Amino acid sequence: DTEVTQTPKHLVMGMTNKKSLKCEQHMGHRAMYWYKQKAKKPPELMFVYSYEKLSINESVPSRFSPECPNSSLLNLHLHALQPEDSALYLCASSQDGAVYNSPLHFGNGTRLTVT
Amino acid sequence: AQSVTQLDSQVPVFEEAPVELRCNYSSSVSVYLFWYVQYPNQGLQLLLKYLSGSTLVKGINGFEAEFNKSQTSFHLRKPSVHISDTAEYFCAVSKIQGAQKLVFGQGTRLTINP
């Protein structure tokens, strides 16, 4: 069982919808991440939160809006997405986001389809 | 900037045969090195990591990897594979200083045939 829980597992949404992806971890980790993974490709970093503050935004379009309400929760709010945004969205956490030698723990992802 | 090249996109092997998945990296600064595995419909799981010290690192599920600084390689090996090892394998690097980014290779699809 993964220690990073993502909901929902699958999501189908239209281009005018607003939806949210949720991620939760109870390992006491202080860094949390959103990655996007297209089929047969490696994960691509989207956002990093370190100690509940956004520390990295990889020039992600504003139709993706991250939120970190507390150290255990990470959300990704979606609005006006395009079909090319269909992908597996992975959440991850690590013990310490300041030094990148603490390994990432990944959730199983949300498979998003935009119609 | 760092980059990672996984030389084989697909590697088919027979069960109980040995396997090597190749990874080369490029970086102007010192790096940490990782191998992650992704089973179908799952997230990624850390197999092993090289931070410092012995260049031969052992990971989970019987995998090991050897760091070769002169050849800038970090190849993954297993002496005898099992059907359950069928998965996508990603090599990754990160800077040591001030780094929060993990740079992944393109992945190698390992398929184990009975």
Side-chain angles (χ1 to χ4, degrees), chain B residues 5-111:
Chain B
T5 302
Q6 290 184 242
L7 296 159
D8 305 296
S9 60
Q10 296 185 65
V11 173
V13 296
F14 287 107
E15 194 172 16
E16 298 183 6
V19 70
E20 178 180 81
L21 305 184
R22 297 180 293 169
C23 172
N24 286 90
Y25 69 94
S26 173
S27 177
S28 57
V29 298
S30 297
V31 294
Y32 295 130
L33 294 153
F34 306 82
W35 275 98
Y36 281 83
V37 60
Q38 186 173 30
Y39 298 104
N41 300 313
Q42 292 188 25
L44 281 72
Q45 179 183 2
L46 180 68
L47 270 179
L48 47 78
K49 60 184 178 183
Y50 174 77
L51 304 180
S52 64
S54 173
T55 57
L56 182 64
V57 292
K58 294 189 183 296
I60 61 171
N61 301 341
F63 283 94
E64 63 181 32
E66 184 153 21
F67 171 58
N68 187 319
K69 189 173 183 179
S70 62
Q71 296 187 7
T72 61
S73 67
F74 190 54
H75 300 333
L76 181 71
R77 301 186 183 99
K78 185 169 182 177
S80 176
V81 294
H82 190 266
I83 292 281
S84 59
D85 293 322
T86 294
E88 191 82 22
Y89 291 80
F90 293 99
C91 181
V93 302
S94 74
K95 291 191 301 183
I96 291 176
Q97 296 294 331
Q100 288 184 300
K101 291 186 188 182
L102 199 59
V103 176
F104 287 95
Q106 290 297 304
T108 296
R109 174 74 180 167
L110 177 62
T111 303

Side-chain angles (χ1 to χ4, degrees), chain A residues 34 47 49 54 57 64-68 74-77:
Chain A
W34 280 115
F47 303 103
Y49 274 84
L54 183 65
N57 176 342
F64 295 91
S65 175
E67 178 196 19
C68 189
L74 184 66
N75 298 321
L76 186 63
H77 303 297

Side-chain angles (χ1 to χ4, degrees), chain A residues 37 42 55 58 97 100-101 104 107, chain B residues 32 36 38 43 99-101 105:
Chain A
Q37 186 178 26
S55 59
E58 288 287 277
Y100 213 90
N101 66 343
L104 299 180
Chain B
Y32 295 130
Y36 281 83
Q38 186 173 30
Q100 288 184 300
K101 291 186 188 182

